[in-house]
Amino acid sequence: MRTFALTSLLALGLAAAGGAAAPTPAPLRATAAIRDAAGQVTGTARFEQLGPNLQITVQVRGLTPGQHGMHIHEMGRCTPGVDPATNTVVPFGGAGGHFDPGMSKNHDAPTTDNKHGHGGDTPMLNVAADGTGQLTFTTSKVSLSGENGVLGRSLVIHARPDDYKTDPAGATGPRERCGVIMRENFAVRDYPLPGPQDFPEGVAVDARRGLIYTGSAANGTIYVLNASSGAVSKFQEGGAKGRATALGMKVDAQGRLWVAGGAQGTVSVLSPDGMTLKVLETPPSPHKYVNDLVVAPDANVYVTDSYRPVLYRVKPDLTLESWLDLGRTPIKYGPGINLNGLVVTPDGRYLLSVQLNTGDLWRIDLRTKAVRKVMGGLVNGDGLLLDGRTLYVARNKDQVVGKVALSADYGSGQLVAEEPLAGLRFPTTLASLGGELIVTQGQLDKLQGGTPEAPFRLTRFRKF
């Protein structure tokens, strides 16, 4: 794998590290090779992040003189696909509809905010008499990182001018050119999943056997992948022993797979060959959401519930208990998802957990049960991965992996980088394999509606 670029929020030479400020990294950049329906490259588009604005430069040839509508589309595919308006297969239909991060469902002018118009609505391209067109513009509607990120999406040029009002595409007619927006100087490895409704939420690694596990938030199916070849098979069908969803996952020292059961309030323990060894039930409640778990060095397993303010513990004899009443701590539960991702420090002294709806990171002392706020600012923080005193945070709606530098006692931290990789789709959690990380592209924002990008996938990348 090639060397990876890094998007830093702050210089890494922080006071906590005791060093001078590191040089500011180069801006995020991306390119798209613009192709015609025959696959021939007829132009390029370049993207550069300049603070809050994205500068886009398009150069193309071989088009009819005049104005051409141009838009950023949802999917990163320049393949034929079905046009919903005509129910026919059209060139570049695989790019899907306009990128609409604000869910406006409305085509409008390039100056309209994303709540009222598609984020992918851009200025028109003027093509000269010789068939060449060139346009440079800046926009704050989209970016190369974050909720409005366009990495891995498509830029499409249409046959006719844009009236900036007719849904869904401004009466711009056929799609004549298309290019996938690709991050420059950056490589990842994707592990595609076979199911049309996989929505992978959890991920766990058995490093000794070279296996990766992931589970579906939609139906509870668990897959096992060969980390080297990418070969994938079903480890256990959804619905096994009443499991309708599979969220947080971990592999213990015995090779057993632990699975958080979400709204069913269960913790499942599976053998290395896929048999269900035990299903543990948390106390009955109309509002339960067992979300993540971690295996501590002493073989106790700690479990978060995102709706009920309690931490559970599964002891080595596979009995479950309510270990800590969070209502008696500084952690205050509110509407939405509360405590979510959970990790244990290498010395087995502390748990760290992120509260998704507030963005707060908490430290919980396993000896005294004392709770301390480490930091804020991690809103939409989902799964966690701890590597020494570096904490990686999958920030789902923000579509980045954050990097937090922690103090020696894990009692304070600072966000030092955010990484969009080659384009993330609602990342939910992470696992470590050697010097690399694996992140789930969960797309849970599409679970209750919308069209997810297929195939679902896990993405492997180097630590940054």
Side-chain angles (χ1 to χ4, degrees):
M1 300 175 76
R2 301 197 302 272
T3 300
F4 290 84
L6 170 64
T7 303
S8 291
L9 283 180
L10 303 169
L12 297 182
L14 299 167
T24 302
L28 278 173
R29 294 188 177 93
T31 58
I34 306 297
R35 299 177 185 273
D36 61 19
Q40 298 299 309
V41 175
T42 62
T44 59
R46 299 191 179 278
F47 304 77
E48 182 172 357
Q49 195 69 45
L50 302 174
N53 295 318
L54 181 63
Q55 180 176 282
I56 303 175
T57 299
V58 180
Q59 294 178 310
V60 68
R61 62 186 182 275
L63 289 172
T64 303
Q67 291 184 314
H68 291 254
M70 183 172 65
H71 315 109
I72 295 171
H73 285 239
E74 179 80 16
M75 308 296 186
R77 297 193 297 262
C78 288
T79 56
V82 175
D83 180 354
T86 62
N87 199 31
T88 58
V89 176
V90 298
F92 310 127
H98 290 185
F99 179 44
D100 190 19
M103 300 184 70
S104 69
K105 300 182 180 179
N106 180 55
H107 180 69
D108 215 308
T111 54
T112 304
D113 66 79
N114 287 355
K115 290 183 179 180
H116 298 93
H118 299 148
D121 296 339
T122 69
M124 282 188 280
L125 181 70
N126 290 307
V127 176
D130 63 356
T132 63
Q134 180 171 331
L135 175 66
T136 297
F137 65 97
T138 59
T139 178
S140 60
K141 288 169 65 68
V142 295
S143 69
L144 294 181
S145 181
E147 185 176 355
N148 300 327
V150 298
L151 287 172
R153 304 192 191 277
S154 300
L155 182 71
V156 174
I157 301 172
H158 291 257
R160 295 196 288 268
D162 195 330
D163 66 12
Y164 295 127
K165 62 181 181 181
T166 302
D167 288 321
T172 50
R175 305 176 183 193
E176 293 194 328
R177 298 288 188 274
C178 181
V180 178
I181 303 166
M182 305 294 291
R183 174 92 172 265
E184 288 187 354
N185 302 315
F186 198 91
V188 300
R189 177 181 179 182
D190 284 335
Y191 293 97
L193 300 176
Q197 294 290 315
D198 285 331
F199 293 97
E201 206 281 348
V203 64
V205 167
D206 185 335
R208 289 178 299 181
R209 296 197 294 161
L211 300 177
I212 304 167
Y213 297 95
T214 191
S216 170
N219 56 40
T221 296
I222 297 174
Y223 292 106
V224 60
L225 299 91
N226 183 294
S228 297
S229 69
V232 57
S233 60
K234 283 186 179 179
F235 186 67
Q236 195 179 81
E237 286 279 0
K241 297 290 185 180
R243 190 187 64 250
T245 189
L247 303 183
M249 311 174 78
K250 294 293 187 298
V251 174
D252 67 14
Q254 300 176 50
R256 299 177 299 184
L257 182 66
W258 293 73
V259 185
Q264 288 189 293
T266 59
V267 176
S268 299
V269 189
L270 311 183
S271 71
D273 58 0
M275 293 183 60
T276 299
L277 300 174
K278 193 156 188 178
V279 178
L280 301 162
E281 300 271 356
T282 58
S285 170
H287 303 290
K288 53 190 175 183
Y289 202 75
V290 173
N291 204 333
D292 201 11
L293 43 81
V294 67
V295 183
D298 62 3
N300 286 305
V301 176
Y302 295 87
V303 184
T304 58
D305 189 308
S306 295
Y307 290 166
R308 294 176 289 184
V310 61
L311 273 178
Y312 297 101
R313 180 172 70 176
V314 182
K315 295 187 287 188
D317 64 359
L318 299 186
T319 58
L320 182 144
E321 63 180 357
S322 297
W323 180 74
L324 177 59
D325 179 358
L326 297 172
R328 300 176 179 272
T329 75
I331 301 173
K332 304 303 177 187
Y333 269 40
I337 300 295
N338 289 272
L339 284 194
N340 193 339
L342 187 68
V343 293
V344 63
T345 56
D347 59 4
R349 175 68 187 272
Y350 301 110
L351 298 174
L352 297 174
S353 187
V354 66
Q355 191 170 355
L356 184 142
N357 53 0
T358 67
D360 293 331
L361 181 68
W362 299 95
R363 188 192 74 179
I364 302 162
D365 193 317
L366 288 174
R367 298 178 189 171
T368 67
K369 299 188 179 181
V371 175
R372 172 174 173 170
K373 182 177 175 179
V374 178
M375 62 178 291
L378 299 175
V379 177
N380 301 315
D382 200 328
L384 304 177
L385 188 283
L386 185 61
D387 180 28
R389 294 205 302 270
T390 297
L391 182 71
Y392 293 96
V393 186
R395 296 178 61 189
N396 53 37
K397 187 178 179 181
D398 296 323
Q399 303 193 115
V400 294
V401 175
K403 179 180 180 180
V404 173
L406 296 166
S407 60
D409 66 352
Y410 304 97
S412 62
Q414 193 160 17
L415 181 65
V416 297
E418 287 184 329
E419 181 52 77
L421 307 185
L424 286 169
R425 305 292 182 261
F426 209 88
T428 50
T429 196
L430 307 117
S432 178
L433 184 61
E436 298 174 333
L437 301 178
I438 300 167
V439 64
T440 54
Q441 305 240 22
Q443 300 191 70
L444 301 193
D445 53 332
K446 304 291 178 64
L447 188 55
Q448 302 302 323
T451 303
E453 185 171 335
F456 287 94
R457 64 193 188 275
L458 313 180
T459 297
R460 183 172 173 178
F461 61 102
R462 282 198 188 151
K463 296 174 184 175
F464 56 91

